[in-house]
Amino acid sequence: MIPIDHVITLSAILFAIGIAGVVTRRNMIVILMSIELMLNAVNLAFVGFNRLWPGGGAGAHYDGQVFVLMVITVAAAEVSVGLGIVISMFRNRDSVDIDDVSLLKW
Amino acid sequence: MTVPVILFYLFAGLAVLSALAMVANVRNTVAAAMSLVITMVSLAAIYVLLEAYLVAAIQIIVYAGAIVVLFLFVVMLLNLRSDDFPPGRQRLLKVAGAALGAFAVAELMRGAGVFPAPPPLPEGFGGYRALGIALYTDYILLVEMASLLLTAAIVGALILAKRKID
């Protein structure tokens, strides 16, 4: 039996690595990849908890796994829009460095 | 320790190492995307060990197959020079890494045994049949909303990537 505690710990570690990537990197493509990593960490927690409480008696329930499928859908949509933004940013500024697009910074 | 538990720790270590390689790779974005693929595949293996078979398959197909290919496509389309990858905030990354390592060790020491052992599962748990029935009965509204979201994302990506909107 896989210890669920360690699944959740792994999820927390991956999420923290994703945050570190978002905070420290300046290349926008890598930032998007780090966001994907964070979404994956959350998915892992969902699957772990669904394994821990699969529902008993009448039938199993799949709330966690269905939620994971929805997160994957949202991630796919987010990546397509995000990479569209990266392309138009590169077209206008000739760079993918987020320090070059601090237009909204006060 | 049984074989699945050993495999779990193996793939967990692989996932963490490749995630770190992705974040710390400041020279080559293509290599970072490849590290992301390794993380995704390790997570899919962990999903199999947690008996979420359909989710594991979709993880491979959508994440490793589609999303990372999209990343690679954009990296190569933009044809970035190595000057375009500033090193980032290295000291912050090191401090964050040290804190993260300490946190991970502390959690591993403390965390064992918080949750009860997972119960035995009914036949066909996490397979395509059970999950498909759940998706198309209890969660049908969610599926319809996902299709709407994907349509909106396609339109948005087209508008954003267009050279001139007329």
Side-chain angles (χ1 to χ4, degrees), chain B residues 9-20:
Chain B
Y9 288 119
L10 202 71
F11 283 116
L14 195 59
V16 170
L17 282 182
S18 53
L20 282 175

Side-chain angles (χ1 to χ4, degrees), chain A:
Chain A
M1 283 296 157
I2 317 284
I4 302 294
D5 328 62
H6 290 175
V7 175
I8 304 304
T9 309
L10 173 64
S11 160
I13 292 171
L14 287 179
F15 193 85
I17 294 173
I19 288 180
V22 170
V23 171
T24 59
R25 297 301 304 273
R26 283 182 284 174
N27 181 353
M28 189 152 163
I29 298 174
V30 178
I31 290 178
L32 275 175
M33 285 189 210
S34 303
I35 294 174
E36 291 305 309
L37 188 62
M38 287 155 74
L39 288 171
N40 264 285
V42 174
N43 285 351
L44 182 63
F46 271 123
V47 172
F49 281 127
N50 202 163
R51 177 69 187 84
L52 184 59
W53 294 298
H61 58 69
Y62 295 99
D63 299 359
Q65 295 188 16
V66 169
F67 214 110
V68 167
L69 296 183
M70 291 303 133
V71 170
I72 289 176
T73 311
V74 172
E78 175 241 321
V79 160
S80 62
V81 174
L83 289 176
I85 292 174
V86 169
I87 287 178
S88 73
M89 176 177 146
F90 188 76
R91 214 173 257 153
N92 289 322
R93 308 255 160 167
D94 204 25
S95 155
V96 290
D97 191 328
I98 53 162
D99 287 348
D100 291 341
V101 282
S102 53
L103 202 66
L104 283 179
K105 209 184 219 170
W106 188 53

Side-chain angles (χ1 to χ4, degrees), chain B residues 86-97:
Chain B
R89 296 153 181 90
Q90 290 290 331
R91 183 183 294 170
L92 186 56
L93 191 60
K94 274 173 192 152
V95 172

